[in-house]
Amino acid sequence: MIIIIILYFLFTVIYEWTYLKNKNRKKRTYWVVFCLMGISFSYCIVTVVFKHMPSPNDLIQFLFKPLQQKILGKVD
Amino acid sequence: MKTAQISQNQLLLFLILYFYSTLIGFAAGHLIHLSQYDSVIVLWISGLVVWVYAYFTIKLANRRPNEFFVHYGKEIFPYWIHILVMGFYSLSFLHSSAFVLREYEDFIVQTYLSETPNWAVGGILGMVVAITARLGIKTLFRTAQGLFFLILIADLSNSIFIGKELKWDRWMAFITNHSGHGIFTGSYTVIPFLGEIFILVFIFPYLTQKSKTLKSVSWAIVLGILLITVNLVFLLLLFGPNLTNHLTYPMLEMVRYIRIADFIENLDPFLISIWSTTVYLKISIMFYLSVLILAQIFRLKDHRPLTFSLAAAMVALSLQMSGGTAALTSYYTKSWATYAYFVEGIPIVYLLMDTLKRFIKKRSAKKEEIS
């Protein structure tokens, strides 16, 4: 799985680099695009390595479940 | 960024599919579980509430019709608060697209491709979504416009063919069986579904003939709910409320009841064609908005270079967000609605703040004139 992710991101780096170069974008754009790509890549790897990591759903449930239960009562 | 690309007709057709997609595909069983025969009343009450909500969101967007919300929001709230809110929206849209993608993955894997891993289904649909988002919003709305009539024909065919299987003597229950609590809980859950219309605030500069937007939205709500109502009524007439809420995908079971002339026995492809296309459109618009907002926050010239990398994050999030269908259903039934109210309420807070600021400005200008 990790190999697929690395290959996918290698393709994306080459593709976006060519795109930005053809469009003559500023250095700042390169930084933003590749920093966000780095974050996305790290997140993908982390989800594979730590399979039982808490997800955003857990946070949303933690914050909103008690409130919804108060409003609606317990729903099966 | 190029604006004014989407016609009102495209908006209308897109919104009908947008309302229809997940509500009928993945939430019909839960709605019938909550409201039983009152589901029809619930839908129309929700439609009315959402129309009022849409009126106010369009009012906010109409104040600066050619500017993007990400740009003009900092005139309403302090810059850093606004940037934080927009960052939250970008993540929230990414999460919504991943959530719908996960529902679709589970459906396909459980029903048809039992040996296929979720990541394969998610990866393929994720790539299609990334390419659509990269091509831009015009492509997305044109796709919806092109697919609308095919979906409508498929849905109407389903409804016509299932007609003879229905137990029509159940219709009396729509008049006699009512529960106030059922109507309340059902409406509470359905309003945020339709309330996802708040995406208009983000795409408003892309619309042509902006003054007609409320009219298009009103028609979309009426026609969308009509289409959903027909499907829900048929589900209730075929299975009744108790059986329906025990089925994971009641629409699929309904389609499997269709027998045409004893030789066409499986009309699943009809349903899959409807679901796959409507779900694909919904994931695409959510993902596109996430990328667009991020590009606007970082003041990039266009959103394209971010699409492929964020699509990978969307697929990863869809796989990581829940251990299984039961956890996903629990999230949806026990906390999603309240979270959605929170997300959809933010544009109203912006509108209130903007109105207050305008009022104070007017008053101080009047005072200056008098003095």
Side-chain angles (χ1 to χ4, degrees), chain B residues 30-51:
Chain B
H30 182 61
L31 172 60
I32 289 173
H33 167 67
L34 292 175
S35 310
Q36 310 239 330
Y37 287 100
D38 287 324
S39 301
V40 177
I41 299 174
V42 162
L43 275 173
W44 289 95
I45 290 175
S46 307
L48 196 68
V49 174
V50 167
W51 185 85

Side-chain angles (χ1 to χ4, degrees), chain B residues 126-193:
Chain B
M127 273 308 290
V128 180
V129 167
I131 292 167
T132 312
R134 197 177 177 96
L135 289 171
I137 195 157
K138 199 176 178 181
T139 313
L140 188 57
F141 276 74
R142 276 200 176 167
T143 315
Q145 193 180 22
L147 292 170
F148 177 81
F149 291 102
L150 291 176
I151 293 167
L152 193 69
I153 290 167
D155 191 66
L156 289 179
S157 312
N158 280 345
S159 307
I160 291 165
F161 292 137
I162 202 72
K164 66 183 168 65
E165 311 286 345
L166 302 179
K167 296 177 181 72
W168 291 98
D169 47 336
R170 281 203 176 112
W171 74 269
M172 191 45 113
F174 287 103
I175 300 166
T176 54
N177 290 24
H178 297 296
S179 143
H181 185 254
I183 293 176
F184 173 68
T185 50
S187 307
Y188 188 84
T189 315
V190 173
I191 289 168
F193 254 110

Side-chain angles (χ1 to χ4, degrees), chain B residues 33 38 45 87 93 95 115 128 140 146 156 158 172 222 232 238 261 266 275 291 294-295 323 342 363:
Chain B
H33 167 67
D38 287 324
I45 290 175
F93 280 125
H95 177 257
E115 299 295 316
V128 180
L140 188 57
L156 289 179
N158 280 345
M172 191 45 113
V222 171
L232 277 186
L238 185 68
N266 189 349
W275 271 358
V291 178
L294 208 59
F342 171 69
R363 230 172 77 169

Side-chain angles (χ1 to χ4, degrees), chain A residues 1-17 33-48, chain B residues 127 305-316:
Chain A
M1 191 63 186
I2 290 179
I3 294 169
I4 295 175
I5 294 171
I6 291 171
L7 283 176
Y8 175 80
F9 274 93
L10 263 177
F11 158 77
T12 310
V13 166
I14 296 165
Y15 190 79
E16 300 303 4
W17 188 278
V33 169
F34 289 106
C35 279
L36 288 171
M37 201 180 283
I39 294 170
S40 176
F41 174 72
S42 315
Y43 175 68
C44 290
I45 295 291
V46 166
T47 55
V48 175
Chain B
M127 273 308 290
L306 303 178
T307 46
F308 285 138
S309 44
L310 278 177
M314 174 184 70
V315 176

Side-chain angles (χ1 to χ4, degrees), chain B residues 15-296:
Chain B
L15 285 178
I16 294 173
L17 298 183
Y18 183 68
F19 291 143
Y20 176 84
S21 58
T22 43
L23 183 54
I24 206 69
F26 305 115
H30 182 61
L31 172 60
I32 289 173
H33 167 67
L34 292 175
S35 310
Q36 310 239 330
Y37 287 100
D38 287 324
S39 301
V40 177
I41 299 174
V42 162
L43 275 173
W44 289 95
I45 290 175
S46 307
L48 196 68
V49 174
V50 167
W51 185 85
V52 175
Y53 172 71
Y55 171 80
F56 286 112
T57 48
I58 292 170
K59 195 173 176 151
L60 171 68
N62 247 330
R63 287 190 174 169
R64 299 161 184 89
N66 297 317
E67 284 180 59
F68 284 97
F69 187 39
V70 179
H71 297 149
Y72 68 73
K74 55 192 174 227
E75 293 168 18
I76 300 172
F77 273 106
Y79 181 77
W80 282 108
I81 293 177
H82 176 64
I83 290 298
L84 278 175
V85 172
M86 290 302 114
F88 167 73
Y89 264 128
S90 179
L91 288 175
S92 170
F93 280 125
L94 191 72
H95 177 257
S96 300
S97 59
F99 179 64
V100 182
L101 180 63
R102 176 56 185 261
E103 281 182 317
Y104 184 75
E105 286 165 17
D106 282 351
F107 165 66
I108 289 289
V109 169
Q110 282 172 28
T111 319
Y112 299 106
L113 309 171
S114 52
E115 299 295 316
T116 313
N118 267 33
W119 64 262
V121 179
I124 292 168
L125 189 58
M127 273 308 290
V128 180
V129 167
I131 292 167
T132 312
R134 197 177 177 96
L135 289 171
I137 195 157
K138 199 176 178 181
T139 313
L140 188 57
F141 276 74
R142 276 200 176 167
T143 315
Q145 193 180 22
L147 292 170
F148 177 81
F149 291 102
L150 291 176
I151 293 167
L152 193 69
I153 290 167
D155 191 66
L156 289 179
S157 312
N158 280 345
S159 307
I160 291 165
F161 292 137
I162 202 72
K164 66 183 168 65
E165 311 286 345
L166 302 179
K167 296 177 181 72
W168 291 98
D169 47 336
R170 281 203 176 112
W171 74 269
M172 191 45 113
F174 287 103
I175 300 166
T176 54
N177 290 24
H178 297 296
S179 143
H181 185 254
I183 293 176
F184 173 68
T185 50
S187 307
Y188 188 84
T189 315
V190 173
I191 289 168
F193 254 110
L194 305 175
E196 283 174 344
I197 196 148
F198 82 106
I199 59 162
L200 277 177
V201 177
F202 294 94
I203 60 169
F204 206 71
Y206 287 125
L207 304 179
T208 56
Q209 296 175 293
K210 295 180 174 67
S211 56
K212 290 183 178 170
T213 310
L214 188 63
K215 195 178 162 192
S216 307
V217 169
S218 310
W219 275 111
I221 291 173
V222 171
L223 296 174
I225 291 182
L226 202 65
L227 200 63
I228 298 166
T229 305
V230 170
N231 283 282
L232 277 186
V233 167
F234 278 24
L235 273 178
L236 283 163
L237 287 178
L238 185 68
F239 298 126
N242 294 328
L243 180 57
T244 309
N245 80 58
H246 283 100
L247 299 169
T248 318
Y249 303 111
M251 277 295 288
L252 182 70
E253 302 303 330
M254 182 163 90
V255 169
R256 285 179 173 170
Y257 252 75
I258 298 174
R259 300 272 182 277
I260 305 168
D262 291 333
F263 64 92
I264 299 176
E265 295 231 329
N266 189 349
L267 282 180
D268 283 16
F270 262 110
L271 192 77
I272 301 306
S273 60
I274 296 172
W275 271 358
S276 299
T277 42
T278 52
V279 162
Y280 146 74
L281 288 170
K282 188 154 188 170
I283 300 171
S284 298
I285 188 76
M286 294 287 181
F287 178 70
Y288 173 79
L289 286 176
S290 169
V291 178
L292 180 75
I293 292 169
L294 208 59
Q296 288 176 346

